[in-house]
């Protein structure tokens, strides 16, 4: 599908990059997409890319795998579409595109959560408090 003229003129597909290149790619986009099809693996955890997208400060448009959906909804860092529902994906894409201030707010929310909760220093402190409270 990526070779179809209407798509090819608007989409650049890069199947893999070294993680060190990620920041430059993330800064060049308006939103980050995580269209993972629901399956047992993705219903049991959150793909690393979601945290990388949050760190980049970009709004996330993701399919409704439950752990990912719960994180995105809780942190208000993106929008969720129904897995494999192309029209819902399009509708959410258009919405984010038409509300750039909202997209920026979602991206900022994700970045803030990474800095406040998931950075090693903050996470280590929370873990130490947990261990202390349970001994």
């Amino acid at each position: 599908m990526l070779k179809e003229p209407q798509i090819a003129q608007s989409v650049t597909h890069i199947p893999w990059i070294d993680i060190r290149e990620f920041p430059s790619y993330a800064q060049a986009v308006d939103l980050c997409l995580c269209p993972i099809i629901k399956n047992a693996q993705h219903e049991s955890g959150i793909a690393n890319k979601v945290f990388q997208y949050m760190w980049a400060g970009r709004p996330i448009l993701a399919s409704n795998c439950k752990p990912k959906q719960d994180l995105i909804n809780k942190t208000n860092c993106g929008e969720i579409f129904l897995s494999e529902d192309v029209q819902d994906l399009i509708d959410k894409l258009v919405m984010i595109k038409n509300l750039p201030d909202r997209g920026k707010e979602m991206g900022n929310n994700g970045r803030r959560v990474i800095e406040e909760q998931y950075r090693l220093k903050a996470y280590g402190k929370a873990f130490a408090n947990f261990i202390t409270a349970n001994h």
Side-chain angles (χ1 to χ4, degrees), residues 40-108:
Q41 177 184 353
H42 291 290
E43 289 297 314
S44 68
I46 302 169
N48 289 342
K49 69 177 70 189
V50 173
F51 295 102
Q52 293 162 347
Y53 294 167
M54 291 170 72
W55 174 81
R58 293 294 182 254
I60 301 167
L61 180 56
S63 56
N64 63 326
C65 299
K66 182 144 177 50
K68 183 175 45 176
Q69 178 177 338
D70 290 348
L71 174 68
I72 290 170
N73 287 340
K74 178 182 174 187
T75 61
N76 195 20
C77 69
E79 289 290 334
I80 301 297
F81 70 94
L82 298 174
S83 178
E84 300 186 78
D85 185 330
V86 175
Q87 189 59 54
D88 194 34
L89 169 64
I90 291 168
D91 292 345
K92 299 292 173 45
L93 259 171
V94 169
M95 188 216 26
I96 293 171
K97 180 69 175 160
N98 289 337
L99 298 170
D101 290 341
R102 176 74 180 111
K104 185 175 177 75
E105 177 186 349
M106 290 186 292
N108 289 338

